[in-house]
Amino acid sequence: MAYITKEIKKGIKVHCIETEKFKTNLLAMFITLPLTRENVTFDSVIPAVLKRGTATLKTQEEISKKLENMYGAGFDCGIEKIGDNHVIKFYLESLNDNFIPKEANQDLLKESIELLLDIILNPLVENNSFKKEYVNSEKENIKVLIESKIDNKDAYAYNRCIEEMYKKEPYGLYKYGYIEDLDKINEKNLYEYYKKLIEDSKIDIFISGALNAEQTAHIVAENQNIKRLSEREVNIVNNAKTIEEKEIQTIEEKMDITQGKLVIGLDVEMLNPEDKFKVAIYNVILGESATSKLFQNVREKASLAYTARSNYVRQKSNIYIRCGIEIANYEKAVEIIKEQLEDMKNGKFTEEDIKNAKKYMTSGIESIQDEQDSEITYYLGQELSQKLITFKEYAQKIEEITAEDVKEVANKIKINTIYFLRN
């Protein structure tokens, strides 16, 4: 496997992952820009409208037919929040040319690149606007998506904790935006916004498969839609984190539910980027794996939780502890969770815990390389952090972590917010 990056214009990069592992090529294009309250909803409507039709394939039916003629290729799009950045993402998966009949005389990789770029960069435009019918239809779909966030109570509680921790800050924004903003969006101002987005934002095109990186980058660079793009200054947000001394905020919200949802947001003081490897091991020991302290002590021994886990958000230097509990168990659950945090600060974990955490992390790193989309997501994260760490280097850094390192980061962690969703 080889990973090769080439900047074809300032602010526009092609990333090629040469691999023989898969029968498909996976193409992805990411448009990255800073998260803002005024634009977050516009961003979420853009990919939904673009997938409806292009200047050459004017309907979703035509796009679907084209994909079908490409041996059943698949297209998908969406939006992600990565740190304080909003990432609009598009994927196209097609069969590798090695697996199509020779007599087809078809360059499927080139065709796939052209179709992906056509959908994103050559949209259907009427009277200098997007098609009104498509915009109105997709606004309704986004509205349903925003309204449905309350349906998954676990995800809802998690997002609410983030909102409370990051009030009036970009990371506190909901990635799909806000219903009240949808009324302000129409076919004309959305198209004007789209043009600015395409001209100003960081663009990364990833292509994974059995390919020649040099030739593939050349196909992208020579594409007419790419040629029309201007160079741009890369404008993405990256920031280290110091923790302000403040009281823990406790938020309680009531809803008609049978199981309480407890989310505890932790701040991790991160001044040295290398600390993220230590925090990753800390988080596995605390709550990410089945051998973790949260799972063993909160769920298994005390039987206080149906679920008890933690996840580490590297881009914002936060760890989130998430538990599904009997509502009456709230105070006891919080007490035992705090005990686990104190135990970590005092070094009350074993060499076996460190060893298991390293094994868990190494296994995770290996599994990333078994899926094309996971591998692309990993490299996108590296690109946005502006420092490339290979899988081998990552595994090596994990292997070097000591018990003292874990204890050191444990003492840089403080509770920011306790959020509880109850009846």
Side-chain angles (χ1 to χ4, degrees), residues 350-364:
T350 65
E351 281 300 326
E352 188 68 17
D353 290 330
I354 299 276
K355 187 179 165 186
N356 287 337
K358 287 180 180 180
K359 198 182 292 183
Y360 177 91
M361 287 294 296
T362 304
S363 173

Side-chain angles (χ1 to χ4, degrees), residues 160 164 167 249-253 330 417-421:
R160 283 288 296 115
E164 291 295 338
K167 271 181 184 168
Q249 64 169 340
T250 302
I251 311 290
E252 200 175 271
E253 193 171 341
Y330 167 71
T417 298
I418 300 173
Y419 173 88
F420 188 45
L421 182 64

Side-chain angles (χ1 to χ4, degrees), residues 318-378:
N318 293 123
I319 290 173
Y320 293 92
I321 295 169
R322 303 162 71 176
C323 300
I325 61 173
E326 289 282 355
I327 289 156
N329 289 339
Y330 167 71
E331 287 179 2
K332 187 65 180 168
V334 171
E335 182 188 327
I336 293 182
I337 288 166
K338 286 181 176 178
E339 282 173 14
Q340 307 317 305
L341 297 175
E342 282 306 308
D343 282 354
M344 293 295 287
K345 285 179 182 178
N346 295 324
K348 289 186 181 177
F349 48 86
T350 65
E351 281 300 326
E352 188 68 17
D353 290 330
I354 299 276
K355 187 179 165 186
N356 287 337
K358 287 180 180 180
K359 198 182 292 183
Y360 177 91
M361 287 294 296
T362 304
S363 173
I365 292 161
E366 287 169 0
S367 69
I368 287 171
Q369 299 167 76
D370 291 333
E371 294 182 6
Q372 282 175 296
D373 59 340
S374 299
E375 200 166 37
I376 285 174
T377 301
Y378 174 85

Side-chain angles (χ1 to χ4, degrees), residues 32-96:
T32 305
L33 65 159
L35 258 170
T36 66
R37 178 63 182 81
E38 50 273 29
N39 295 336
V40 64
T41 314
F42 276 83
D43 294 343
S44 72
V45 180
I46 289 285
V49 170
L50 292 180
K51 74 178 182 189
R52 294 292 298 269
T54 78
T56 51
L57 301 166
K58 299 185 188 300
T59 65
Q60 245 175 329
E61 289 73 25
E62 287 182 53
I63 292 173
S64 295
K65 193 173 178 183
K66 172 70 175 170
L67 289 165
E68 198 55 48
N69 291 336
M70 293 164 63
Y71 297 91
F75 173 80
D76 199 9
C77 59
I79 198 137
E80 208 52 69
K81 189 168 72 168
I82 301 180
D84 288 342
N85 300 297
H86 222 190
V87 181
I88 304 172
K89 52 187 188 177
F90 304 85
Y91 292 92
L92 196 151
E93 186 175 35
S94 59
L95 206 56
N96 188 275

Side-chain angles (χ1 to χ4, degrees), residues 5-159:
T5 296
K6 184 175 183 181
E7 189 168 54
I8 52 175
K9 286 183 181 181
K10 190 176 180 184
I12 303 172
K13 284 185 180 178
V14 179
H15 309 255
C16 292
I17 303 168
E18 293 180 347
T19 174
E20 302 284 341
K21 266 189 181 183
F22 311 100
K23 289 185 177 180
T24 54
N25 292 326
L26 183 61
L27 290 67
M29 179 161 150
F30 302 102
I31 301 169
T32 305
L33 65 159
L35 258 170
T36 66
R37 178 63 182 81
E38 50 273 29
N39 295 336
V40 64
T41 314
F42 276 83
D43 294 343
S44 72
V45 180
I46 289 285
V49 170
L50 292 180
K51 74 178 182 189
R52 294 292 298 269
T54 78
T56 51
L57 301 166
K58 299 185 188 300
T59 65
Q60 245 175 329
E61 289 73 25
E62 287 182 53
I63 292 173
S64 295
K65 193 173 178 183
K66 172 70 175 170
L67 289 165
E68 198 55 48
N69 291 336
M70 293 164 63
Y71 297 91
F75 173 80
D76 199 9
C77 59
I79 198 137
E80 208 52 69
K81 189 168 72 168
I82 301 180
D84 288 342
N85 300 297
H86 222 190
V87 181
I88 304 172
K89 52 187 188 177
F90 304 85
Y91 292 92
L92 196 151
E93 186 175 35
S94 59
L95 206 56
N96 188 275
D97 285 299
N98 296 333
F99 296 95
I100 64 171
K102 291 279 189 290
E103 60 270 20
N105 197 25
Q106 196 171 359
D107 188 341
L108 201 52
L109 177 60
K110 187 170 189 284
E111 216 174 311
S112 301
I113 291 168
E114 286 172 351
L115 178 56
L116 180 69
L117 297 177
D118 197 48
I119 292 171
I120 305 163
L121 301 175
N122 190 26
L124 176 62
V125 177
E126 298 176 344
N127 303 318
N128 210 26
S129 304
F130 282 129
K131 190 175 175 71
K132 185 174 183 176
E133 177 196 335
Y134 292 172
V135 173
N136 289 341
S137 170
E138 293 308 325
K139 279 167 58 178
E140 278 304 309
N141 290 338
I142 297 292
K143 183 182 178 185
V144 170
L145 199 58
I146 295 168
E147 286 173 338
S148 69
K149 70 178 177 180
I150 204 164
D151 295 343
N152 182 331
K153 300 301 187 287
D154 186 56
Y156 174 80
Y158 178 54
N159 282 316

Side-chain angles (χ1 to χ4, degrees), residues 372-394:
Q372 282 175 296
D373 59 340
S374 299
E375 200 166 37
I376 285 174
T377 301
Y378 174 85
Y379 282 119
L380 173 66
Q382 303 295 299
E383 174 64 29
L384 296 184
S385 67
Q386 298 172 319
K387 185 177 182 184
L388 174 62
I389 295 166
T390 66
F391 291 111
K392 190 177 177 182
E393 289 167 339
Y394 200 110

Side-chain angles (χ1 to χ4, degrees), residues 188-249:
K188 186 146 188 75
N189 64 15
L190 186 67
Y191 180 58
E192 290 304 315
Y193 178 76
Y194 160 81
K195 288 193 291 185
K196 190 171 187 318
L197 177 89
I198 291 297
E199 281 303 306
D200 295 347
S201 305
K202 175 174 172 54
I203 290 177
D204 291 280
I205 299 160
F206 284 79
I207 305 170
S208 164
L211 48 89
N212 179 300
E214 201 60 45
Q215 288 174 8
T216 304
H218 180 73
I219 293 169
V220 175
E222 290 302 306
N223 179 275
Q224 290 307 307
N225 290 308
I226 291 289
K227 281 188 165 183
R228 285 200 295 267
L229 297 179
S230 310
E231 296 193 338
R232 72 277 318 276
E233 292 297 326
V234 170
N235 182 21
I236 58 172
V237 185
N238 263 315
N239 44 10
K241 183 167 187 169
T242 52
I243 301 176
E244 295 173 22
E245 284 296 330
K246 58 181 182 182
E247 282 187 22
I248 297 168
Q249 64 169 340

